[in-house]
Amino acid sequence: MSWDFETDPAYQRELDWVDQFVREEVEPVDMVIDHAWDLGDPVRQALIPPLQEQVRARGLWATNLGPHLGGAGYGQVKLALLNEILGRSHSAPIVFGCQAPDSGNAEILARYGTDELKRRYLEPLLRNDIVSAYSMTEPAGGSDPTGFVTRAELDGGEWVINGEKWFTSHANFASFLVLLAVTDPEVERHRRLSMFIVPVDTPGVEILRNVGVYGHPEDKGTHSYIRYTDVRIPADHLLGGRGDGFVVAQTRLGGGRIHHAMRTVGLVKQALVMMCERALSRTTQGETLARKQLVQAMIADSWIQLEQFRLLVLRTAWRIDEYDDYERVRGDISAVKAAMPKVLHDVASRAVQIHGSLGVSHEMPFASMVLESFHMGLADGATEVHQIALARQLLKDHRPAEGLFPSGHLLARREAARERFADVLAAAGG
Ligand SMILES: Cc1cc2nc3c(=O)[nH]c(=O)nc-3n(C[C@H](O)[C@H](O)[C@H](O)COP(=O)(O)OP(=O)(O)OC[C@H]3O[C@@H](n4cnc5c(N)ncnc54)[C@H](O)[C@@H]3O)c2cc1C
């Protein structure tokens, strides 16, 4: 038997250190900086790099990456347990060097970049001397990449890019963009796109505006609407082969999705902990909220949803480690991705309700967690798209019934059983 739900004691000691470090050193930083990815913010630059040094000294820097990239190569299960802690803080992922979208972009660069691209972009990215962005979604729609129109054409040994991208998170802080563009419009739909590195300071890259999400200050948006006009980049800035855009994208999106889910477990846990504290602290009709059965049901349902989701995330992480092949776990990742927004939404909403008027106010984090659940249902693909992907994969293992009635039709099964056990039934007088 190999089922095991224990954490190795040595690693648990590391997790305990992380838990305390995040609570005492990182969470207070969240309260005084606007955006941990903003390398131009002097407050951020004064507070975050010293914390990153402590993480490096502890050997916990970028543990998602293999030793060849300066990480510990802990694998996804250990990363899941770590991310459960980091997920409750805005700054913690960048303090530990495993933040999106840089971790996924680093994977792409490590796997597909030339030595020169790695020297120029990957090395400073891994040190968090720079940050990056991922430019895929287009203003006319993100759910169907086969409909993208941003073009990259070869001209005199350079790629020339024209088009627009929408909701490129952190482009306003980034040094380079990982861009998906159409190179071969006439071929089969899934071979039309290719992936590129585009330095942000290349002439023709224009951020039209930085879109803010609801609940955040309107003038501090971080999801860029970008126009690319005759942007010329060297031929070697193509990542992977021409037409490999979908394959390369899966390299980063698979990992990115499961990492979001790991962090979401942390956020949901935090909502549940706060919900329990409030239920035990607030009194009405002479007793605490914790003694009201309807409140107890909310707490129990939240724990059940959280633990179901957590187990799905950990099992998927385990399968990624086991197979080392994202293709084999695509369905698992889609399942996790589709489950994630609902768990966060439901638990955060109950936390709002149990906190009453305080719960909807700016003074507690729950309303923004509820909104965050909608982000989770869109970023890296809409929930419906993942439900469809999962269902299609599941259906591949099934066949239509041979006759008019389903193979589980009770009448037919009963008849077959009667025939099989006719002797026994006859002997028993049945
Ligand atoms: C917080 C956040 C960060 C993001 N960061 C990035 C980023 O860094 N880089 C980037 O490129 N993009 C980013 N995105 C964009 C994200 O990838 C897109 O929002 C997503 O792919 C959906 O595309 P869309 O918004 O254009 O919605 P649309 O494609 O217009 O879809 C709208 C809705 O239609 C429904 N729908 C779509 N397809 C189907 C279907 N097949 N069946 C049934 N219903 C369907 C779904 O309800 C979907 O939400 C981010 C989004 C968010 C919210």
Side-chain angles (χ1 to χ4, degrees):
M1 279 300 287
S2 62
W3 289 92
D4 187 356
F5 295 91
E6 297 291 340
T7 306
D8 157 58
Y11 191 59
Q12 185 57 55
R13 278 194 293 280
E14 294 304 299
L15 294 175
D16 292 343
W17 179 84
V18 174
D19 188 43
Q20 187 175 357
F21 178 72
V22 168
R23 188 171 342 98
E24 293 176 4
E25 307 295 336
V26 186
E27 287 177 1
V29 173
D30 291 341
M31 299 296 121
V32 294
I33 60 169
D34 283 329
H35 210 293
W37 281 248
D38 183 0
L39 303 178
D41 172 5
V43 179
R44 183 267 184 215
Q45 288 304 76
L47 296 176
I48 289 196
L51 297 176
Q52 292 174 325
E53 273 318 304
Q54 289 190 58
V55 169
R56 282 193 183 96
R58 187 88 193 180
L60 291 170
W61 177 255
T63 56
N64 54 313
L65 300 172
H68 61 298
L69 294 175
Y74 273 174
Q76 301 298 321
V77 171
K78 280 186 165 177
L79 184 65
L81 297 168
L82 179 73
N83 269 333
E84 283 180 9
I85 302 169
L86 308 188
R88 62 179 199 242
S89 155
H90 164 72
S91 308
I94 210 162
V95 167
F96 282 75
C98 55
Q99 72 283 0
D102 300 325
S103 56
N105 289 343
E107 264 186 65
I108 290 189
L109 261 168
R111 194 173 296 192
Y112 300 105
T114 60
D115 287 345
E116 174 58 11
L117 287 181
K118 287 182 194 167
R119 192 189 59 73
R120 279 176 63 188
Y121 302 111
L122 181 61
E123 289 175 16
L125 185 69
L126 294 175
R127 290 192 301 267
N128 191 222
D129 290 343
I130 58 172
V131 295
S132 64
Y134 183 64
S135 207
M136 172 171 167
T137 304
E138 300 200 349
S143 295
D144 179 12
T146 64
F148 288 170
V149 293
T150 296
R151 279 287 267 131
E153 293 166 282
L154 262 182
D155 177 47
E158 288 180 320
W159 290 100
V160 183
I161 297 162
N162 281 287
E164 289 186 350
K165 292 286 176 179
W166 170 250
F167 247 73
T168 301
S169 304
H170 307 165
N172 50 333
F173 308 135
S175 292
F176 69 88
L177 306 150
V178 174
L179 170 90
L180 201 58
V182 177
T183 43
D184 302 272
E186 65 291 337
V187 303
E188 186 270 314
R189 291 189 316 150
H190 292 93
R191 298 292 310 162
R192 286 178 197 164
L193 292 158
S194 304
M195 196 74 87
F196 298 91
I197 289 272
V198 181
V200 169
D201 55 8
T202 313
V205 175
E206 182 189 0
I207 296 187
L208 299 178
R209 60 180 188 268
N210 291 308
V211 183
V213 287
Y214 191 79
H216 289 235
E218 245 178 85
D219 58 342
K220 289 188 177 159
T222 59
H223 306 286
S224 306
Y225 182 13
I226 307 177
R227 180 171 295 152
Y228 297 82
T229 312
D230 292 329
V231 175
R232 300 186 82 90
I233 52 167
D236 71 351
H237 281 40
L238 172 72
L239 294 170
R242 186 170 173 155
D244 282 347
F246 272 93
V247 180
V248 180
Q250 284 311 323
T251 308
R252 78 174 299 293
L253 289 172
R257 286 167 184 144
I258 187 80
H259 298 166
H260 268 313
M262 294 166 179
R263 289 187 286 266
T264 301
V265 169
L267 206 55
V268 174
K269 261 190 188 176
Q270 189 194 21
L272 179 58
V273 166
M274 294 171 86
M275 196 192 294
C276 291
E277 185 199 69
R278 183 67 169 178
L280 288 164
S281 317
R282 189 76 163 176
T283 303
T284 189
Q285 295 170 324
E287 61 181 6
T288 60
L289 289 178
R291 290 190 58 84
K292 306 283 182 197
Q293 288 184 343
L294 290 175
V295 172
Q296 290 170 358
M298 286 201 249
I299 289 168
D301 285 347
S302 299
W303 187 88
I304 292 165
Q305 270 183 291
L306 168 61
E307 287 302 313
Q308 286 174 335
F309 178 59
R310 181 170 184 254
L311 287 173
L312 184 63
V313 172
L314 284 168
R315 178 182 178 277
T316 303
W318 179 84
R319 284 169 65 91
I320 297 172
D321 285 344
E322 197 68 8
Y323 306 137
D324 191 24
D325 176 5
Y326 277 113
E327 203 48 42
R328 269 186 85 178
V329 291
R330 265 175 94 166
D332 304 73
I333 291 177
S334 279
V336 163
K337 176 72 177 68
M340 172 165 59
K342 182 162 169 50
V343 179
L344 179 58
H345 175 271
D346 290 359
V347 178
S349 303
R350 293 186 197 110
V352 167
Q353 189 69 14
I354 286 181
H355 282 76
S357 49
L358 183 64
V360 292
S361 75
H362 286 294
E363 296 178 13
M364 298 307 287
F366 308 121
S368 82
M369 285 185 194
V370 174
L371 273 174
E372 178 89 5
S373 75
F374 288 91
H375 303 177
M376 296 295 179
L378 289 167
D380 294 343
T383 301
E384 293 86 341
V385 173
H386 288 282
Q387 287 170 313
I388 291 167
L390 174 62
R392 280 193 182 143
Q393 187 180 314
L394 296 174
L395 286 166
K396 278 190 193 148
D397 293 335
H398 299 270
R399 296 285 163 272
E402 281 174 11
L404 177 61
F405 292 101
S407 57
H409 192 212
L410 288 178
L411 205 64
R413 287 178 60 197
R414 216 174 281 132
E415 257 173 45
R418 284 221 173 92
E419 225 169 86
R420 179 172 168 189
F421 302 121
D423 297 351
V424 181
L425 293 172

